[in-house]
Amino acid sequence: MNKFSLLGIMAAVGLLAGCASPTDEIRGMQPTGVSFTEALATEYRDFALFETDQMYDFGDGRYFAQKGLAAADGEVVLPESLENWDLPDSAIGDLSAGRTRLVQLLDANGRTTAPGLAAHAQARFDCWVEQQEENHQAAHIAACREEFLAALAELEIAMAPEEEEAVVVPIEPEEFRIFFEFDRYQLADSINGQEIIDQVLAEVQELGMPAISLIGHADRAGPGDYNFGLSLRRADAVRQALIDGGVPADRISVAGRGEEDPLVPTADDVPLQENRRVEILIQ
């Protein structure tokens, strides 16, 4: 990985100067800077020491300790770039979609609006990348991914604009469904995608930009982890189509259910079009 070239240089300089390693330094660091960089430094410290002390992964421990020290000095440290890691092709789509959403929130003042959540989301994303490259501890990969997605969802909620209190008569959400071809997620691969998108956009205009929830689903054919990512990609494709149609991004929430909660219950490994869907709730 490209990051280890940098680590090698830093390690050589540290040895020549008689300095402690980044892992040793971060144990007693005193973060400075704004709330976000302080929180991020703490997140990276915990991650680096976990990799060093519990997983005995000294290389990644040093690398993330260096990121933590940079954050502790008040520097802006970015989420990992995927091209610097040797990742399996099957994981790149989910990681790329996650990083895009994270960077959009960070660039939309997420670092100042909710610094703790933003720092946690970034560190958990980097954890997901690191574990996915190793690609041999499924439980660790899933834990980092789920913690990242949960933090991302909380960050989206925290950044949603506050609305004035008003007396509102509760209404039942209106629901639309888009169905997809087997193992596909682009809107062009859907059965009724553009037709439903047009209906949703018309409804949204009439209601004055209400909140929209997108929930992606997959059928039960294939591995559960893969189906979870596939369901998220389907929901993200619908989200982008709505944004392209003029719906503000902050009015849309996205979730994936994988092969859980099928519209039509089936046995495992059964492909069924009714279960390959994105549910669109307007409320």
Side-chain angles (χ1 to χ4, degrees):
M1 293 181 293
N2 294 344
K3 71 178 194 302
F4 282 121
S5 298
L6 175 61
L7 274 175
I9 295 171
M10 292 189 297
V13 172
L15 287 172
L16 290 173
C19 297
S21 72
T23 309
D24 292 332
E25 288 184 41
I26 206 168
R27 294 181 190 274
M29 74 171 184
Q30 296 296 325
T32 60
V34 298
S35 297
F36 172 74
T37 55
E38 290 184 0
L40 190 61
T42 301
E43 290 278 351
Y44 279 131
R45 178 197 63 196
D46 294 344
F47 183 32
L49 295 183
F50 172 79
E51 288 297 312
T52 300
D53 297 340
Q54 298 187 43
M55 305 305 295
Y56 305 108
D57 187 344
F58 302 110
D60 282 344
R62 286 193 301 272
Y63 178 69
F64 288 107
Q66 189 64 39
K67 291 190 76 170
L69 292 171
D73 286 339
E75 297 180 26
V76 176
V77 179
L78 298 178
E80 283 301 304
S81 295
L82 302 186
E83 60 266 22
N84 293 337
W85 295 78
D86 186 14
L87 298 165
D89 291 341
S90 60
I92 290 176
D94 290 346
L95 285 163
S96 180
R99 189 181 192 279
T100 297
R101 288 173 62 193
L102 173 61
V103 170
Q104 287 174 343
L105 291 171
L106 294 176
D107 290 346
N109 293 324
R111 296 180 177 92
T112 54
T113 303
L117 281 174
H120 186 58
Q122 177 170 329
R124 292 297 84 193
F125 175 77
D126 282 8
C127 174
W128 182 13
V129 172
E130 189 268 346
Q131 289 293 321
Q132 190 67 76
E133 184 191 60
E134 292 180 354
N135 205 32
H136 68 275
Q137 293 172 308
H140 287 191
I141 296 171
C144 292
R145 182 191 65 203
E146 294 298 333
E147 289 168 7
F148 163 67
L149 292 174
L152 198 65
E154 289 186 57
L155 183 58
E156 288 176 331
I157 293 171
M159 293 182 63
E162 294 185 5
E163 298 180 359
E164 295 183 2
E165 293 186 6
V167 178
V168 178
V169 178
I171 59 173
E172 290 297 321
E174 188 165 358
E175 182 174 342
F176 298 85
R177 291 191 181 104
I178 295 177
F179 297 95
F180 288 82
E181 298 285 359
F182 180 74
D183 199 25
R184 296 291 186 269
Y185 64 90
Q186 297 289 359
L187 204 63
D189 301 321
S190 66
I191 308 302
N192 59 340
Q194 194 55 56
E195 174 187 347
I196 296 299
I197 290 295
D198 291 341
Q199 293 178 23
V200 171
L201 292 175
E203 189 76 11
V204 165
Q205 290 293 333
E206 182 176 341
L207 295 175
M209 295 301 172
I212 302 175
S213 297
L214 305 178
I215 305 173
H217 297 265
D219 61 28
R220 302 199 66 195
D225 285 352
Y226 179 82
N227 284 337
F228 176 81
L230 182 59
S231 71
L232 271 179
R233 290 196 293 274
R234 286 171 175 161
D236 277 330
V238 175
R239 174 181 180 271
Q240 189 58 55
L242 292 175
I243 292 173
D244 292 344
V247 180
D250 61 11
R251 304 303 297 160
I252 307 171
S253 64
V254 174
R257 294 287 185 270
E259 60 185 47
E260 302 297 326
D261 193 21
L263 188 62
V264 179
T266 69
D268 195 18
D269 290 327
V270 173
L272 188 67
Q273 186 179 96
E274 286 85 347
N275 291 335
R276 301 190 297 266
R277 70 199 191 278
V278 171
E279 295 179 346
I280 306 172
L281 302 178
I282 300 177
Q283 191 169 18

